[in-house]
């Protein structure tokens, strides 16, 4: 994703307008939506972990496989887990180059905890990011740009992984028709997304043109969304707003954004690979290229907006794909349980801690501001 619109790490302009802008952003989901999302998540988890998996593999056998891992394998697994947590912050710093690692870590981990552990927490997590970055003195426009660009790049890299997985399958002579179809579809989606992004960032005219095409299609499907004569439709307005917010960051930092986002995704794969090889290496029935293909294709299940963080959906796809490539079913289940535990539980726990740290920092900052203002009252 030239330089951000305003320097990162400086205090935003004061006054009501700035405060209003800082508070802008996604609103918290309604209580009803959170309850419904929570129930749906619970149902999916019960179906996958207590309905599908027990018929597919044996939890007892999976647990025995985990217990038989050597001390060196467990140590390497712990190291990969820590590395994944530390690398998770880098894409955020690529979009906000002036943000210190410690502060970026607090924002990123807190956002992960809310977005992935709270039902319907995605919008709430975005709102918390805005509040935290504003509390660290980052201009709201810079925050919006960084959050938007980070999300888009993460999406594009996730779509690119299956294409790399396809290459891995071709190299290993294990490409099935289903795997090929999934990889091709993700490659097409990636091409459309990258092409559209490039045109939007190329010029305001292209952003308006693409948005207009989208609005015309949307109006056919939902006539009520048709804009009034002389006004921009919702997609046109969104494309123009996105371009204004991100064009400078993308122009100057797209290489760093790409490298760090690939690094984040590959660090998660490294956790899985260490788990698989700690369970038995090649004797598990799957090689590294096949494992990468299974991982990259399973990640596509995360796009199904049913559960936070793809809980259950990604797990089912991953276990099924690893088994389809020849991995022992019990060991595939064990590897997934290890991977999910290592890439989910620590960051949720850390996110709770970082949220509390941020709250303490904010209370001190606000308390200091109140004390400083008292003599002039």
């Amino acid at each position: 994703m030239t330089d951000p619109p305003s320097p990162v790490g400086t205090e935003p302009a004061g006054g009501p307008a700035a405060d209003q802008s800082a508070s802008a952003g996604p609103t918290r989901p309604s209580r009803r939506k959170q309850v419904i999302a929570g129930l749906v998540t619970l149902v999916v988890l019960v179906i996958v972990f207590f309905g599908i998996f027990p018929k597919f593999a044996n939890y007892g056998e999976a647990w025995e496989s985990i217990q038989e891992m050597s001390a060196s394998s467990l140590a390497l697994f712990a190291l990969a887990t820590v590395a994944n947590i530390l690398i998770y912050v880098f894409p955020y710093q690529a979009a906000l180059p002036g943000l210190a690692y410690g502060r970026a870590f607090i924002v990123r981990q807190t956002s992960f905890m809310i977005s992935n552990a709270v039902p319907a927490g995605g919008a709430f997590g975005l709102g918390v990011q805005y509040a935290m970055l504003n509390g660290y003195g980052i201009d709201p426009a810079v925050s919006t740009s960084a959050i938007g660009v980070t999300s888009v790049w993460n999406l594009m890299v996730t779509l690119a992984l299956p294409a790399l997985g396809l290459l891995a399958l071709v190299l290993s002579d294990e490409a099935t028709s289903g795997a090929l179809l999934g990889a091709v579809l993700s490659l097409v989606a990636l091409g459309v997304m990258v092409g559209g992004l490039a045109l939007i960032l190329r010029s305001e005219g292209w952003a308006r043109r693409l948005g207009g095409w989208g609005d015309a299609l949307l109006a056919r499907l939902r006539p009520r969304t048709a804009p009034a004569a002389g006004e921009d439709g919702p997609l046109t307005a969104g494309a123009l707003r996105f371009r204004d917010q991100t064009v400078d960051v993308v122009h100057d930092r797209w290489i760093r954004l790409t490298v760090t986002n690939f690094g984040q995704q590959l660090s998660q794969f490294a956790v899985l690979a260490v788990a698989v090889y700690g369970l038995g290496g090649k004797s598990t029935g799957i090689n590294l290229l096949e494992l990468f293909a299974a991982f990259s294709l399973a990640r596509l299940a995360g796009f199904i907006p049913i559960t936070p963080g793809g809980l259950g959906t990604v797990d089912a796809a991953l276990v099924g794909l690893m088994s389809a490539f020849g991995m022992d079913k019990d060991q595939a289940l064990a590897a997934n349980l290890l991977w999910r535990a290592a890439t989910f539980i620590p960051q949720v726990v850390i996110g709770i801690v970082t949220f509390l740290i941020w709250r303490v920092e904010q209370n001190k900052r606000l308390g200091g501001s109140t004390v400083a203002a008292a003599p002039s009252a």
Side-chain angles (χ1 to χ4, degrees):
M1 304 180 247
T2 70
D3 291 334
S6 62
V8 175
T10 58
E11 293 292 334
D19 293 339
Q20 183 177 2
S21 178
S23 62
T27 56
R28 182 173 182 172
S30 67
R31 178 70 63 180
R32 180 185 178 189
K33 288 184 178 180
Q34 284 191 297
V35 170
I36 293 175
L39 291 175
V40 170
T41 298
L42 181 61
V43 169
V44 170
L45 293 180
V46 169
I47 291 174
V48 171
F49 288 95
F50 297 97
I52 297 175
F53 282 169
K55 295 179 181 179
F56 182 81
N58 187 299
Y59 276 108
E61 296 290 339
W63 177 239
E64 286 183 11
S65 297
I66 294 173
Q67 290 180 308
E68 292 174 359
M69 290 178 67
S70 66
S72 59
S73 295
L74 290 173
L76 187 58
F77 182 72
L79 182 62
T81 300
V82 172
N84 176 62
I85 294 171
L86 297 177
I87 291 172
Y88 187 71
V89 183
F90 292 159
Y92 215 64
Q93 282 198 295
L96 283 169
L99 185 64
Y101 183 88
R103 289 183 169 183
F105 185 88
I106 289 175
V107 176
R108 191 79 156 150
Q109 296 299 330
T110 302
S111 174
F112 180 96
M113 180 269 294
I114 294 174
S115 299
N116 290 278
V118 176
F124 187 28
L126 285 176
V128 171
Q129 286 188 70
Y130 280 102
M132 295 178 79
L133 291 173
N134 180 60
Y136 286 141
I138 296 177
D139 186 272
V142 180
S143 300
T144 300
S145 173
I147 293 171
V149 168
T150 302
S151 300
V152 168
W153 243 254
N154 179 70
L155 176 61
M156 290 194 298
V157 169
T158 301
L159 289 173
L161 286 179
L164 296 177
L166 171 60
L167 177 60
L169 288 176
V170 171
L171 293 175
S172 62
D173 295 324
E174 293 289 342
T176 64
S177 58
L180 283 170
L181 178 61
V184 169
L185 290 177
S186 68
L187 189 60
V188 171
L190 176 65
V192 171
M193 188 173 183
V194 172
L197 178 63
L199 290 175
I200 288 174
L201 297 176
R202 180 179 180 182
S203 69
E204 183 177 323
W206 270 109
R208 188 177 296 279
R209 188 175 294 119
L210 289 180
W213 293 341
D215 284 322
L217 178 60
L218 184 62
R220 285 177 177 268
L221 300 175
R222 301 179 63 184
R224 292 183 179 181
T225 64
E231 294 184 2
D232 290 329
L235 298 182
T236 300
L240 292 172
R241 184 169 58 251
F242 176 80
R243 183 182 187 278
D244 289 341
Q245 293 171 347
T246 63
V247 62
D248 290 336
V249 177
V250 172
H251 181 273
D252 274 6
R253 310 193 65 79
W254 68 272
I255 295 179
R256 185 171 298 184
L257 285 164
T258 302
V259 171
T260 54
N261 275 280
F262 267 110
Q264 175 195 327
Q265 299 271 8
L266 292 177
S267 69
Q268 289 199 30
F269 171 68
V271 175
L272 177 64
V274 171
V276 168
Y277 280 83
L279 289 168
K282 294 182 179 180
S283 66
T284 59
I286 190 171
N287 63 43
L288 190 62
L289 294 178
E290 293 167 339
L291 182 63
F292 178 72
F295 170 80
S296 61
L297 291 169
R299 295 281 291 172
L300 294 178
F303 289 121
I304 303 174
I306 298 178
T307 60
L311 279 172
T313 54
V314 172
D315 300 271
L318 182 57
V319 173
L321 284 165
M322 288 191 295
S323 300
F325 284 127
M327 188 173 180
D328 177 81
K329 293 180 179 180
D330 294 333
Q331 290 185 325
L333 177 58
N336 175 78
L337 294 175
L338 283 171
W339 172 76
R340 176 58 77 179
T343 58
F344 187 81
I345 296 175
Q347 287 188 263
V348 169
V349 174
I350 292 172
I352 295 173
V353 175
T354 53
F355 178 73
L356 294 175
I357 290 174
W358 175 71
R359 290 298 299 173
V360 171
E361 289 179 347
Q362 288 299 101
N363 288 336
K364 288 182 178 180
R365 186 176 68 87
L366 294 175
S369 300
T370 304
V371 172
S376 60

